[in-house]
Every structure is written in C-alpha cells, then in structure tokens.
C-alpha cells in the first residue's frame, strides 16, 4: 500500500516511544522497592474538580449529549471571554472564540485555514514537536530557528526578521513553552508581532500553559497586546493543563472576527463539534469554587518547581533558565551522562530508566538545536514522587 508523502513527513513522536519502554519496565518492577516514577509525560496528576465532574454527569443524565454548533456552546464561549477579561485584562469577544476537540484540533484548524502548500512558518528550536507537524500536515514547512538560554529559548524580533523570506507566512510561538517552561517577555512579543503584522503575516501562539504562569512579568496573553495588536493574534488554548481535563479532549481557538466563519466551515466538515459532554462540564470550570481550586493547584505546581529545579542543579543536571510557567525542567545532562558512562540525552534517559526506574524525556523530539544535550523532566507529579526521584538521582549521580 502506498503511503502519502504527507504522512511520511511526520516524524515519530519519540516521547511516546520512551513512554512505551517505561511502561513495559514498570510492569516488571511494580512490586519492587523501586517502582517506576514517570517524569516524562506532560499530564497533570490532578483530575477535573468535583463541580466539573458533576456537570458532566448532569449532562449525561439530562440527555444533553447531542451535537452542539461547530463553534461550540454559546455559553462556554461567553465564559471563556469573561475569563480572559477577568484574568488577563484582554477584550476577547465570544464571536472570536471557537471550541475545539483539544488544542490539537485548534492548531489543525488554524493551519488548514491559513497555510498554503510551500508556506514557511518560523518556530523556535527547541519547541513542542506536534506543533511543527501540524504545519507539515497542512503542506507547509516548519522552519526551526535555534535559540539560546540567553534568549529564554524563545524567538526575538531580530531572529524573525533575519529568517523572513519570500515564502514565509508567519510565526508559531509558545508561551509558556514546552519543553522549557519559559515565556516570551511581553515587550518582545509585541515587537515580533508588530513586524509580522507589518509583513502581512500571521502570529499563531500556543498559550495552553498560560494559566500555569508563576511570575507576574510573563503571565500575560498575547490577546492583550496594546494598541489593538491583540485583535490580530491567533491564540491556541486548552482545558488540558490549567483546567486538568486532559482526556476530555477540549480546547479552543481565538481568531480575528473575519476568520471565524472560515474556521467554522472547516470545523463543520472535519469535526462537526467538540465533545458535547466535555463542553457542558467545562462550563463549571469557571465557577468561583473551581477557580479557587485551580489557583490552589497552580500554587502547588509552583512549589514543585521551586523544590525540584534547585535539586537538579545541585546534582549537575543544570537548568539554564528557570521556567516561569508550565511544569517542565529542561536540563543539560552532559555532566550527568558522563558520570553514568554514557553519551547524549537518549542513552542517558534509558540509563536512568534501567538503573533507578526513572522515566524522563530525551531532547530528540524537540528540534535540532543540541537535542543530545538536554532532557526534559515533568514536574506534573506529587511532591513525594519528586523527592523520591531526587533521592534516586542522587544515588547514581552523587
């Protein structure tokens, strides 16, 4: 059977290959003194709060399970709009919000609506691999631009200008970013968007970790850029991370007003609508009780970061930039790998898995800028598990 070139261009998702190996080993060591600790997957250990679960049950009991409009429940679009205003001071009309089957569907819809065959989209390296694969699936080309720790592993206006070519269609950013947990400074984001906008390009920004920001300077949505600039930004967001609804597969897209009917037409054909039960449940995310719970959990994620990053640095797993959001630590494993007698992040990850039953993600997924030098730790796990992970790392790294 002949496979499409489009499919062939999609690289393997190596984090899942590591996860499969870790899961297989976990079964073997489950009843030992060192069961597997998973710090490789970016999934909150919290689940949806009680009000959200109860709302889902009510929707099922009442039979509120039929298709919704392709753009999503009007009430949910309104609540997201209100949340932007209250949390970020951003004026986002409900008519600009499209409810999607996760952030993945949001990015797919945006790429299909805006990327032509041969278009180039500029992205930072390192970055989340699936983002560039959505560009490829839309027949575009993701152009990865190496970034440095001094740049917070984010693009600058100067780098965007230098890389802009005739085929460049726009930029795809992430703030906070996976795998680094770093955000773009608001003033730099404004400079980038001003340039892109002046060239008639598009600024897409992955903000799925925005709710999990820990520093006031960085915790701002691109949709709140001054002077009306936020009106032309396209933002991808999700109920998975801050709202702890990973398997519910619910996200949203914010687009300029003129793009809404285009996205609606594509969504009607590809998805019909996002999960109706998940949408009814998500309405309860914005109840005061739920928001208090989410803020308590955000404080817990910050506490985990504040404990774990210094411990990694102490053990020679240097994190060159303190993450200001999300739940990741992007650590230089060069020194630690040498201590274990291996070279590169891939072998280091499997050595940790074998020796101390600790699963982490090697840098191979995240781009071409020194992936062998870095591993990603996820702190989306309990403090007890993080402390045990540190003890195991210390036992082999000293």
């Amino acid at each position: 059977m002949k496979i499409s070139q489009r499919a062939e261009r999609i690289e393997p998702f190596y984090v899942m290959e590591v996860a499969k190996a870790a899961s297989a080993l976990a079964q073997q060591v489950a009843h030992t003194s060192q069961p597997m600790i998973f710090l490789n997957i970016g999934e909150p250990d919290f689940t949806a709060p009680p009000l959200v679960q109860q709302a889902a049950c009510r929707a099922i009991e009442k039979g509120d399970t039929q298709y919704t409009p392709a753009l999503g429940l009007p009430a949910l679009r309104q609540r997201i709009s209100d949340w932007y205003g209250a949390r970020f001071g951003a004026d986002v009309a409900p008519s600009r919000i499209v409810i999607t089957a996760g952030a993945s569907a949001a990015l797919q819809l945006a790429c299909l609506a805006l990327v032509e065959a041969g278009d180039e989209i500029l992205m930072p390296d390192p970055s989340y691999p699936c983002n560039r694969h959505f560009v490829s699936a839309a027949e575009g080309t993701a152009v990865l631009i190496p970034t440095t720790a001094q740049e917070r592993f984010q693009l600058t206006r100067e780098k965007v200008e230098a890389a802009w070519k005739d085929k460049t269609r726009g930029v795809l950013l992430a703030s906070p970013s996976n795998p680094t947990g770093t955000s773009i400074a608001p003033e730099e984001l404004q400079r980038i968007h001003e340039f892109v906008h002046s060239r008639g390009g598009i600024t897409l920004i992955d903000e799925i970790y925005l709710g999990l920001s820990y520093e006031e300077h960085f915790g701002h949505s691109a949709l709140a850029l001054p002077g009306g600039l936020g009106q032309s930004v396209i933002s991808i967001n999700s109920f998975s991370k801050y709202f702890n609804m990973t398997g519910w597969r619910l996200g949203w897209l914010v687009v300029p007003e003129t793009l809404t009917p285009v996205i609606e037409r594509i969504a009607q054909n590809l998805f019909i609508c996002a999960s109706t039960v998940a949408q009814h449940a998500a309405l309860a995310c914005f109840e005061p009780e739920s928001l208090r719970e989410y803020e308590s959990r955000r404080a817990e994620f910050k506490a985990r970061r504040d404990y774990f990053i210094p411990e990694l640095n102490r053990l020679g797993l240097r994190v060159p930039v303190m993450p200001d959001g999300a739940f990741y630590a992007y650590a230089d494993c060069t020194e630690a790998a040498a201590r274990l007698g291996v070279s590169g992040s891939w072998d280091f990850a499997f050595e940790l898995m074998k020796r101390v039953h600790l699963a982490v993600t090697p840098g191979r997924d995240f781009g071409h800028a020194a992936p062998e030098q870095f591993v990603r730790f996820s702190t989306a796990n309990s403090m007890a598990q993080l402390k045990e992970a540190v003890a195991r790392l210390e036992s082999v790294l000293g």
Side-chain angles (χ1 to χ4, degrees):
M1 182 180 296
K2 182 180 179 181
I3 305 300
S4 72
Q5 293 183 7
R6 181 188 307 105
E8 296 290 0
R9 285 196 298 269
I10 305 300
E11 302 169 45
F13 198 5
Y14 292 107
V15 65
M16 295 305 177
E17 297 302 313
V18 175
K20 285 192 290 186
S23 295
L25 181 57
Q27 295 180 22
Q28 300 174 31
V29 302
H31 302 293
T32 71
S33 60
Q34 281 197 342
M36 185 68 69
I37 296 177
F38 294 92
L39 301 185
N40 56 320
I41 301 296
E43 181 172 27
D45 55 324
F46 300 112
T47 58
L51 289 185
V52 177
Q53 297 182 37
Q54 292 163 17
C57 292
R58 282 197 305 273
I60 294 171
E61 290 168 355
K62 291 171 60 180
D64 289 338
T65 57
Q66 296 178 312
Y67 296 137
T68 72
L71 295 176
L73 288 173
L76 183 55
R77 297 166 75 198
Q78 181 65 59
R79 290 208 178 180
I80 293 172
S81 172
D82 294 341
W83 181 68
Y84 273 118
R87 178 72 183 267
F88 304 108
D91 181 13
V92 181
S95 55
R96 296 177 57 200
I97 297 169
V98 181
I99 308 301
T100 61
S104 297
L107 189 51
Q108 182 182 14
L109 287 167
C111 288
L112 290 175
L114 296 165
V115 177
E116 297 276 15
D119 283 350
E120 295 182 349
I121 302 293
L122 309 181
M123 299 175 60
D125 187 345
S127 59
Y128 183 57
C130 296
N131 287 2
R132 67 178 184 266
H133 295 157
F134 282 116
V135 174
S136 296
E139 307 292 341
T141 300
V143 178
L144 298 181
I145 301 174
T147 60
T148 65
Q150 291 71 29
E151 297 164 332
R152 304 183 57 76
F153 296 113
Q154 295 282 359
L155 294 182
T156 63
R157 173 170 174 152
E158 287 71 24
K159 283 195 167 179
V160 171
E161 286 194 44
W164 198 276
K165 309 296 182 187
D166 290 342
K167 291 185 177 181
T168 306
R169 182 74 176 98
V171 296
L172 174 51
L173 312 170
S175 184
S177 169
N178 178 2
T180 64
T182 62
S183 299
I184 308 173
E187 56 272 18
E188 191 62 39
L189 178 58
Q190 180 175 342
R191 294 178 70 241
I192 291 171
H193 183 53
E194 285 174 340
F195 170 75
V196 172
H197 192 58
S198 73
R199 300 300 295 265
I202 54 174
T203 299
L204 294 97
I205 183 159
D206 170 350
E207 294 189 322
I208 71 173
Y209 295 98
L210 184 62
L212 293 175
S213 291
Y214 312 123
E215 297 177 22
E216 178 60 30
H217 181 64
F218 294 107
H220 304 280
S221 173
L223 298 167
L225 286 175
L229 282 171
Q231 300 293 316
S232 54
V233 167
I234 296 167
S235 173
I236 293 97
N237 217 311
S238 172
F239 284 93
S240 289
K241 309 303 181 181
Y242 176 71
F243 294 103
N244 309 149
M245 294 175 68
T246 51
W248 301 69
R249 304 316 303 134
L250 196 66
W252 74 87
L253 182 64
V254 180
V255 298
E257 292 271 9
T258 55
L259 193 55
T260 304
V262 178
I263 297 291
E264 180 180 24
R265 186 172 69 246
I266 300 172
Q268 286 170 334
N269 283 276
L270 294 188
F271 300 104
I272 301 180
C273 68
S275 164
T276 301
V277 172
Q279 290 189 64
H280 281 288
L283 288 168
C285 291
F286 303 99
E287 294 295 328
E289 180 182 329
S290 296
L291 290 173
R292 285 193 295 270
E293 179 65 24
Y294 287 130
E295 285 301 286
S296 174
R297 293 174 179 186
R298 181 168 72 101
E300 175 61 23
F301 279 124
K302 180 180 183 297
R304 295 172 184 181
R305 178 200 70 165
D306 293 344
Y307 162 73
F308 195 65
I309 303 292
E311 289 297 294
L312 289 181
N313 288 328
R314 179 178 67 84
L315 293 169
L317 285 158
R318 188 175 61 87
V319 180
V321 187
M322 184 67 160
D324 58 83
F327 35 62
Y328 300 114
Y330 202 52
D332 186 334
C333 67
T334 307
E335 177 187 337
R339 291 187 199 175
L340 296 189
V342 297
S343 177
S345 61
W346 184 264
D347 289 344
F348 177 71
F350 277 89
E351 196 70 10
L352 283 185
M353 197 186 304
K354 180 178 70 175
R355 291 200 193 190
V356 293
H357 306 159
L358 179 62
V360 303
T361 300
R364 183 179 295 184
D365 267 327
F366 304 113
H368 311 297
E372 72 287 344
Q373 187 177 343
F374 290 94
V375 290
R376 187 196 72 180
F377 291 84
S378 168
T379 54
N381 212 324
S382 70
M383 186 69 83
Q385 288 275 278
L386 293 177
K387 288 182 176 180
E388 174 62 19
V390 167
R392 293 187 192 183
L393 286 168
E394 190 158 28
S395 72
V396 291
L397 297 177

